[in-house]
Every structure is written in C-alpha cells, then in structure tokens.
Amino acid sequence: MVTLRRADMFTADGKPSPDDPREHGPKLGDERTTLVEALRCARLTLELKCAGLDAAAMAERSVEPSTMSLLGLVRHLAEIERGTFRRLLAGQDTPRLFTTEEDRDGDFTGAVPDPEVVARAWEAWRAEVRFAERFVAEAPDLGITGDDPLNEHDSGGGQLSLRGALVNMIWEYGRHMGHVDLLRERIDGRIGQ
C-alpha cells in the first residue's frame, strides 16, 4: 500500500490558502515587478521552511559527508545576497559574512547549534535582503551592471546586469529550496508547498 504524503503547511488539500503570505503578491506586472515578486516568494519560502525550529534543528546536518544544514543555507544565502547586491552591483567594499579565503565553506562549517549563531545568521540574512530590496527599488532600470572580472561572485565572470542578478538569485533560491524541503522533512517530517 502506498502512502500519499501531501503538503501540510497552510492547507490540507494542496490548494492555495489565504494564510500563505506568498499568495498575496502581484500577479500581473512589468519585468521588474515579476522578478521582484518571484524573489520575494523564494525568500519567504526559506523563512517559512525554517519556522519553529530551535538551534539544534537548524544546525542539523543532512547526510555525511555533507555539511549542509538549514542554518548553513541561511548563512550561505546571506553571503550570496551580500556578494551580489552589495559587493558586485553596488560596488561596496564590504567583507564576507561567514566565508574567508581560507575557509570557503565557512557558511556551512560554522553553522553550529548555538542560538546566538542562529540569531546572527537571520539578522545578517534579513539585513542583506533589506539592502537588496532597496537597491533594486532605487535602480533606474534593470540594465545597470556590475563587473566581476575574476568571477568572485559566481556571475560567470565579466559584467552582470541587475536583470541577470535577479534571475541568478531566483535560481539560487530555487536550487536550495529543494534542499530545504528535504532537510525540514528529515528534521520533523514537516512538508509544505
């Protein structure tokens, strides 16, 4: 007998719910509105999938030898947000948050089950998201560019437009939301859309 597993977050039948904050954004709009909304929903999904977990659960690793954890992903995505919007596109000379040249995986290896580490990770992620949202809202158009000649920001090297950065960021979140789904289900069995 096959057991059917359905999403249990917001709804029992898998249909859109008025309680899901991702369901209330604009459905129609220009290119900027569409890209910003897709990224907003991806960011909300990260927060929703991590809701209600303590530090130990947030730092729980997937399967050996991987160092991946929900906390590591929050730290990683804060690092990606910072590198893309603050460093690459805004041209700010700011240090990395969790990684160094010596420890390129510091976002994951430093994800330890400490409530202060978890709080700092969420604080950093939210600060970088706020910066990115302001930057995108104030940009004159999506064609502005940043230059990444050494591919330090995983842009592929060379110039990257704000448009391309938004698409890349949506892709980055989308890639990791599958990881987040599996990690959360492993922690407490919770699944959701």
Side-chain angles (χ1 to χ4, degrees):
M1 178 175 196
V2 175
T3 302
L4 181 62
R5 304 242 5 230
R6 297 291 303 178
D8 62 1
M9 192 177 284
F10 301 117
T11 179
D13 61 7
K15 294 181 182 173
S17 164
D19 298 329
D20 188 337
R22 298 166 298 181
E23 297 292 334
H24 307 296
K27 302 282 188 238
L28 301 173
D30 61 9
E31 181 182 22
R32 185 188 306 239
T33 301
T34 302
L35 292 171
V36 166
E37 178 59 13
L39 186 51
R40 182 189 76 85
C41 289
R43 288 169 172 155
L44 272 172
T45 300
L46 176 66
E47 288 187 288
L48 292 168
K49 298 281 183 174
C50 295
L53 297 176
D54 63 14
M58 286 291 293
E60 187 173 318
R61 301 281 167 89
S62 60
V63 179
E64 294 282 338
S66 176
T67 58
M68 188 176 293
S69 66
L70 292 172
L71 177 56
L73 286 167
V74 172
R75 291 163 53 102
H76 173 71
L77 289 164
E79 197 79 75
I80 298 294
E81 293 267 4
R82 183 182 196 105
T84 299
F85 294 104
R86 200 180 289 270
R87 297 178 76 202
L88 174 61
L89 290 168
Q92 293 184 0
D93 186 20
T94 55
R96 294 180 182 270
L97 293 165
F98 305 109
T99 63
T100 64
E101 286 302 316
E102 297 76 36
D103 187 3
R104 300 286 291 159
D105 291 325
D107 40 5
F108 291 101
T109 59
V112 297
D114 178 332
E116 289 183 28
V117 172
V118 173
R120 282 195 304 270
W122 281 117
E123 181 181 301
W125 179 78
R126 288 184 178 108
E128 295 310 319
V129 167
R130 281 191 305 273
F131 178 87
E133 288 172 338
R134 265 191 326 273
F135 182 84
V136 172
E138 294 171 2
D141 63 68
L142 298 179
I144 65 168
T145 61
D147 195 19
D148 187 17
L150 302 177
N151 194 28
E152 294 176 81
H153 306 289
D154 298 321
S155 67
Q159 292 197 329
L160 181 68
S161 69
L162 176 55
R163 176 182 295 103
L166 288 167
V167 170
N168 287 354
M169 192 62 65
I170 293 164
W171 179 87
E172 183 78 16
Y173 275 89
R175 175 176 180 255
H176 290 308
M177 288 311 100
H179 300 133
V180 170
D181 278 336
L182 293 172
L183 285 162
R184 180 63 192 248
E185 185 175 4
R186 186 172 187 269
I187 291 166
D188 63 5
R190 184 115 197 236
I191 58 176
Q193 62 272 35

